[in-house]
Amino acid sequence: MNFRGNLRRLINEVGCDFVQQLPYPHVELFFWRPDDGTINFGDYLSLVVVEQQLRRSGYTLADEISRHVRMFAIGSVLHYARDGDVIWGSGINGRPGQNDLNRRVQTLDIRAVRGPRTQEILRRRGLSVPDVFGDPALLLPRLFPDRFQRRRVRDWIFVPNLHDLSMIDHESANVVSPLGSWNRRIEAILEADLVLASSLHGLIVAEAYGVPTRYVRLSDGEAEFKYRDYYEGTGRFDVEFASSLEEGREMGGAAPLSFNHQSLMDAFPIDLWRETR
């Protein structure tokens, strides 16, 4: 099978990762992962961020707790949610078939969501959703304060969404694949004066570190919903999208985000680990 065929299979097949399958009550962290064993760095950041947040309080995902819980953090994955799941920063995807919760879901323990569009859908389902917005990847500079530094050696880079990988020269020096280790993706993003991206987390990570960004919409592979949800959750309701890399470079960076990092950090469900028997 050629590259395009492999990519189509990778995108269309459901790949879900349940971290820490343990024989005692614990918090199961859910995030999406391609079935072929590769890593989409934006989704994998869910594990990175949650583990680091726990370390700050002396806990781990391997801890035995009073009851079994499933938790969602980073990702447009709420169509996978089940009754009783705990939500901290996840969002609705917006694609056909992924633009709402499973109809059987009646209760969720929601601490924060990615943005107001996700909040609106969940509230229409009768769920209680606080006014706490933001993708947890925005917390990376605070969780790893001395780990990554700006090293501006490239005028621009492009971080494609998986759907757009087959449309571009992915061997180009200006293209940073979303597939691979989280730390190398961040290092590459911090080398650029401008980050163009159709990868949502290419945008989010860059903005977390203050790098100017522009969303480039090369295809309809992803719904606009999740990008608007993120932008509106960070105080921006009129961000213009580029339709090509050339237009993105001409437009330059979008308005900087307006975001309350502390509210999202405070919403982390550390109480799950502190519950007594």
Side-chain angles (χ1 to χ4, degrees):
M1 189 178 291
N2 60 22
F3 174 80
R4 187 183 297 270
N6 276 320
L7 182 62
R8 187 177 296 111
R9 178 183 61 79
L10 179 153
I11 292 170
N12 290 335
E13 291 182 1
V14 174
C16 307
D17 212 10
F18 296 87
V19 177
Q20 295 289 356
Q21 293 282 6
L22 299 170
Y24 50 77
H26 63 282
V27 174
E28 251 182 47
L29 179 65
F30 178 98
F31 64 92
W32 186 86
R33 184 169 178 176
D35 274 354
D36 67 351
T38 55
I39 289 176
N40 188 40
F41 94 103
D43 294 291
Y44 193 79
L45 285 173
S46 192
L47 177 59
V48 172
V49 168
V50 169
E51 284 187 331
Q52 188 69 1
Q53 184 80 344
L54 285 173
R55 287 189 190 102
R56 292 160 56 92
S57 300
Y59 297 99
T60 77
L61 282 169
D63 289 352
E64 181 175 0
I65 60 174
S66 61
R67 60 189 176 94
H68 190 88
V69 180
R70 198 169 73 142
M71 176 180 169
F72 286 58
I74 290 173
S76 303
V77 290
L78 288 184
H79 53 288
Y80 293 115
R82 301 194 299 244
D83 268 351
D85 288 344
V86 177
I87 313 301
W88 180 62
S90 300
I92 293 289
N93 185 292
R95 292 169 60 193
Q98 301 177 358
N99 56 3
D100 202 347
L101 294 177
N102 185 300
R103 59 185 176 82
R104 291 188 294 272
V105 173
Q106 301 296 320
T107 61
L108 291 173
D109 180 354
I110 303 171
R111 311 302 179 91
V113 292
R114 183 179 55 211
R117 295 193 178 206
T118 290
Q119 181 191 58
E120 180 183 4
I121 288 174
L122 298 181
R123 284 183 171 176
R124 285 206 306 262
R125 291 288 300 270
L127 295 164
S128 176
V129 187
D131 293 321
V132 182
F133 301 134
D135 187 291
L138 289 168
L139 303 178
L140 284 165
R142 287 161 173 76
L143 294 174
F144 299 91
D146 303 315
R147 178 76 188 271
F148 302 100
Q149 304 296 327
R150 288 293 301 273
R151 189 171 71 89
R152 299 166 66 174
V153 297
R154 289 192 272 184
D155 291 340
W156 63 279
I157 62 168
F158 176 59
V159 188
N161 181 273
L162 289 178
H163 292 277
D164 295 338
L165 265 177
S166 62
M167 302 175 58
I168 60 170
D169 177 8
H170 55 283
E171 300 296 333
S172 168
N174 289 96
V175 174
V176 175
S177 171
L179 297 174
S181 63
W182 71 280
N183 56 307
R184 294 291 183 254
R185 305 315 104 177
I186 293 178
E187 290 166 359
I189 285 169
L190 295 184
E191 289 180 349
D193 288 329
L194 173 67
V195 171
L196 307 175
S198 56
S199 160
L200 178 58
H201 281 90
L203 298 169
I204 291 172
V205 170
E207 293 198 323
Y209 285 93
V211 182
T213 69
R214 179 66 60 178
Y215 171 48
V216 180
R217 188 167 180 79
L218 295 183
S219 74
D220 295 327
E222 291 289 345
E224 287 190 20
F225 179 96
K226 69 180 189 179
Y227 301 93
R228 295 293 184 193
D229 191 42
Y230 162 67
Y231 282 124
E232 292 173 10
T234 50
R236 294 163 296 174
F237 292 81
D238 57 356
V239 174
E240 295 183 8
F241 301 161
S243 59
S244 68
L245 298 183
E246 293 75 16
E247 183 179 25
R249 293 176 67 186
E250 290 176 3
M251 294 173 73
L257 54 80
S258 174
F259 175 64
N260 189 330
H261 296 81
Q262 195 60 50
S263 290
L264 184 58
M265 293 187 80
D266 290 346
F268 183 79
I270 195 65
D271 54 286
L272 300 178
W273 282 263
R274 292 173 174 165
E275 287 178 359
T276 59
R277 292 181 182 274

